[in-house]
Amino acid sequence: MSLYKDRLETKIIHASTLENFEQKTGAVNVPIYLSSTFHQESFDQFGPYDYSRSGNPTRHALELTIAELEGGARGLAFASGIAAISSAFMLLSAGDHIVVTEDVYGGTYRFITQVLTKFGIEHTFVNLANLEETVRAIQPNTKVIYIETPSNPRLGIADIREIVKIAQANDCLTFLDNTFMTPLYQRPIELGVDIVLHSATKFLSGHSDIIAGIAVTKDEELGNRLAFIQNSFGAILGAQDSYSLIQGIKTLGVRLTQSSESAQKIASYLDVHPLVEQVFYPGLVSHPGHSIHAAQSTGAGAVLSFRLPNRETAKTFVENLRIPVFAVSLGGVESILSHPAQMSHAAMPKVEREKRGITDGLLRFSVGLEHVDDLLADFAQALRVCELGVIRAERR
Ligand SMILES: *Cc1c(COP(=O)(O)O)cnc(C)c1O
């Protein structure tokens, strides 16, 4: 046992080489093992790797890294966030039921409502911030409570400890999508969650260059069951992308710290702007989940959303911004602005969307690494154009 208890920022740099993969050369980076199969020296005593769907040394280094960072027993890397999420749901059987946060990522919503139902796995959407409603939704066949906190795109906060208590009292597992926080800010396994899921496409990789997913299990037994699904379903992450993700994770500490600091400033700016109806950011004291979030996380993150009066204003704003890219996704070094109604939540019917507050004027902003003053100036000039439009419309 080491006498030192390194902080996550330190572990992040060295975790991928902890296993000394490169004892032969001393390379500081994990090699990319481009090999689908592995020669077996002995006729009947096989080595640790046989075929890269079942295990690849580069992917294995990544899986050990993420398990170490989340504090879990087993990490598994998948071809996308959705592949990780759907593979976790494959632990269930026909006749099972799940309770899901209503403010769930659009692709997860699509998988639950249009794929799982075909296999006889039913669901109930609830507002997880309302614990009574959550308890009421539990049925004798409920096997999983699915949490996303902060949720997408309204940054709703669920009390992880309380939901874990409810789940344990009812013999359910808890799955938590930790994409927005990353292990740097939120470590759900320490709070009792059974499986942590990530779209590693976002903050973990950080450069908008790969699609990847991660699952980390609290215990070894669940890890073995999920590894069996990973191998059976086969949605694994390739060796090159595993390498990119290992490299991305090394800079997570500085990236997320810088972007979150900027996000706090931008949220505060938007919060008092007359044209902005509402800002959703857990770092604002006015956010209804602010204190719960502060008790279970060490940062507010780099994603915020805000509501402009209508679609027309949102359109003018987006068309006049100079710096951010207007795109699906988040968590990159470049700031990314998106319009959930047409993008991440397009898979959700309009009535369901509006029930969740995803109106046509709602925009989501993922803060990158540009200088915050440049971003603020850009927002200010685009909002001025919107204000002029509103004044013109009132005069008419
Ligand atoms: C992007 C995202 C996903 C899906 O991940 P992919 O890598 O795109 O498959 C799941 N959850 C959240 C919160 C996301 O932002």
Side-chain angles (χ1 to χ4, degrees), residues 80-82 85 105 148 152 177 179-180 199 201-202 211-212 330:
S80 68
I82 277 296
I85 292 166
Y105 173 73
E148 225 184 279
N152 186 13
D177 183 331
T179 300
F180 278 32
S199 170
T201 310
K202 316 292 170 57
I211 299 284
L330 53 100

Side-chain angles (χ1 to χ4, degrees), residues 53 70 106 113 116 120 147 169-170 181 236 283 298 311 324 383 385:
R53 171 160 37 74
E70 286 285 3
T113 57
L116 281 188
I147 312 167
N170 290 280
M181 286 293 105
I236 48 131
T298 51
R311 182 190 162 89
L383 285 167
V385 180

Side-chain angles (χ1 to χ4, degrees), residues 7 29 61 75 93 96 185 209 246 260 295 320 324 331 379 384 391:
R7 289 165 184 80
N29 289 310
S93 308
D96 288 348
Y185 284 165
D209 54 356
I246 287 170
S260 303
N320 283 279
F379 269 48
R384 231 168 4 248
I391 292 167

Side-chain angles (χ1 to χ4, degrees), residues 258 261-263 265-266 269 322-323 367-381:
Q258 180 61 57
E261 205 177 282
S262 300
K265 288 184 185 157
I266 293 168
Y269 166 79
R322 198 172 54 83
I323 298 173
V367 184
L369 293 177
E370 301 91 345
H371 197 291
V372 67
D373 292 342
D374 294 337
L375 291 173
L376 286 168
D378 197 20
F379 269 48
Q381 65 79 21

Side-chain angles (χ1 to χ4, degrees), residues 131-242:
L131 297 175
E132 281 162 28
E133 186 186 337
T134 306
V135 171
R136 265 201 312 275
I138 291 178
Q139 305 177 6
N141 58 341
T142 304
K143 294 289 164 62
V144 169
I145 303 182
Y146 189 89
I147 312 167
E148 225 184 279
T149 183
S151 68
N152 186 13
R154 282 194 310 144
L155 289 299
I157 302 299
D159 189 327
I160 302 172
R161 291 183 185 88
E162 289 300 322
I163 292 165
V164 164
K165 265 191 226 159
I166 293 170
Q168 288 175 350
N170 290 280
D171 247 339
C172 304
L173 296 175
T174 40
F175 295 178
L176 188 147
D177 183 331
N178 205 24
T179 300
F180 278 32
M181 286 293 105
T182 83
L184 192 72
Y185 284 165
Q186 187 165 273
R187 293 163 51 85
I189 286 174
E190 288 173 2
L191 305 175
V193 166
D194 296 290
I195 300 183
V196 175
L197 299 157
H198 281 281
S199 170
T201 310
K202 316 292 170 57
F203 290 102
L204 290 179
S205 80
H207 294 77
S208 305
D209 54 356
I210 58 165
I211 299 284
I214 292 287
V216 181
T217 66
K218 184 169 67 178
D219 64 47
E220 198 64 50
E221 189 264 338
L222 202 52
N224 292 339
R225 278 166 60 201
L226 192 55
F228 174 80
I229 304 260
Q230 184 195 39
N231 191 33
S232 306
F233 186 61
I236 48 131
L237 191 65
Q240 309 223 30
D241 286 352
S242 294

